[in-house]
Amino acid sequence: MMEKYSDEELLAQIKDDGRFAFDILFERHWKKLYQTAFARLNDDVIAQDVVQEIFIKTWQRRKTLNIHTSFENYLLSAVRFGVISHFRSKKANELQLQGALERITLLEDSIDSLTDYLELENTLDEAVNCMPEMLKKVYLLRSENLSIKAIAGQLGLADQTVKNYIAEVSRRLRIIIAEKHPEKHLTYAVLLLALLHK
């Protein structure tokens, strides 16, 4: 029912901590923002990070958010700013580290208990066990904090192939998280990004 609401109506609800309204906004705009970021960055992982950070900051600022244009235009402007910030950074690694630290801080605020974290871990383990062998290997190595280059070397793959596998694992796991934990899937999706896109 809430899917029929306009962006402005949903924004009014998230100011009152409406998580379901926020989920709808996320699902409504995620794909277009990702495509916009990817077209400029040509990097799946960084494009996902840019978009995820925009939504995280939107939620964090929900009480004071004052948008003078359409929400979509606001988000597209945020994507452009995120892309510019990335290119301005002297070292992409520093930017990625900063993003990871911000996500970890957010996770500490978002995860209600260790039970939540273990619940997510179990969901991920079950899902990954059902995946093709190469996706499973890439996921497990990434979970052990190996770099993309190190994973590529160990598995005899190109760096870009490893990035593609990580993106595919991430896509599949986000779908499963949304299905199994609809009430917590945004928080869990951030956890997943922190895990895979270091």
Side-chain angles (χ1 to χ4, degrees):
M1 187 70 170
M2 208 180 279
E3 285 86 352
K4 295 177 181 176
Y5 287 171
S6 69
D7 286 354
E8 289 70 28
E9 289 168 325
L10 293 170
L11 282 168
Q13 293 193 32
I14 74 166
K15 286 191 176 183
D16 292 325
D17 300 331
R19 281 190 174 272
F20 186 55
F22 184 72
D23 282 8
I24 293 169
L25 287 170
F26 181 92
E27 295 300 332
R28 189 176 284 177
H29 295 286
W30 162 268
K31 188 174 181 182
K32 184 169 184 178
L33 298 185
Y34 165 76
Q35 289 170 339
T36 303
F38 183 79
R40 288 162 172 76
L41 294 161
N42 199 31
D43 186 304
D44 178 75
V45 174
I46 297 172
Q48 287 189 47
D49 277 352
V50 165
V51 176
Q52 192 73 31
E53 291 293 335
I54 289 166
F55 279 103
I56 289 168
K57 286 173 181 171
T58 300
W59 176 256
Q60 288 174 331
R61 297 170 182 163
R62 64 193 179 280
K63 301 285 189 185
T64 55
L65 212 55
N66 197 8
I67 298 171
H68 299 290
T69 179
S70 72
F71 187 55
E72 181 175 89
N73 285 342
Y74 165 82
L75 292 174
L76 289 170
S77 297
V79 168
R80 287 191 286 273
F81 180 80
V83 170
I84 291 166
S85 295
H86 170 73
F87 284 125
R88 276 184 180 164
S89 64
K90 290 180 182 176
K91 292 182 182 176
N93 285 343
E94 286 179 8
L95 182 73
Q96 288 159 3
L97 176 62
Q98 179 188 343
L101 291 172
E102 286 174 2
R103 283 196 294 273
I104 288 165
T105 303
L106 177 74
L107 293 176
E108 288 171 352
D109 295 338
S110 300
I111 297 298
D112 295 327
S113 66
L114 183 60
T115 309
D116 277 351
Y117 186 80
L118 295 175
E119 181 180 62
L120 175 62
E121 265 199 341
N122 289 335
T123 298
L124 296 181
D125 287 344
E126 288 172 12
V128 169
N129 283 333
C130 299
M131 288 186 187
E133 195 61 30
M134 194 56 79
L135 288 182
K136 191 189 302 185
K137 283 180 181 176
V138 169
Y139 170 83
L140 293 173
L141 291 171
R142 192 63 167 158
S143 301
E144 292 168 8
N145 290 322
L146 266 70
S147 68
I148 286 170
K149 193 167 284 296
I151 296 170
Q154 193 162 323
L155 298 178
L157 301 170
D159 288 6
Q160 187 58 50
T161 305
V162 173
K163 289 180 183 178
N164 292 344
Y165 279 137
I166 289 172
E168 178 59 18
V169 170
S170 181
R171 185 188 71 79
R172 292 184 184 205
L173 291 178
R174 280 202 307 271
I175 291 168
I176 289 164
I177 288 169
E179 287 173 355
K180 290 203 170 185
H181 308 287
E183 75 291 351
K184 298 175 185 172
H185 91 265
L186 273 176
T187 299
Y188 285 177
V190 176
L191 250 181
L192 178 62
L193 279 170
L195 177 66
L196 290 177
H197 304 312
K198 301 175 184 70

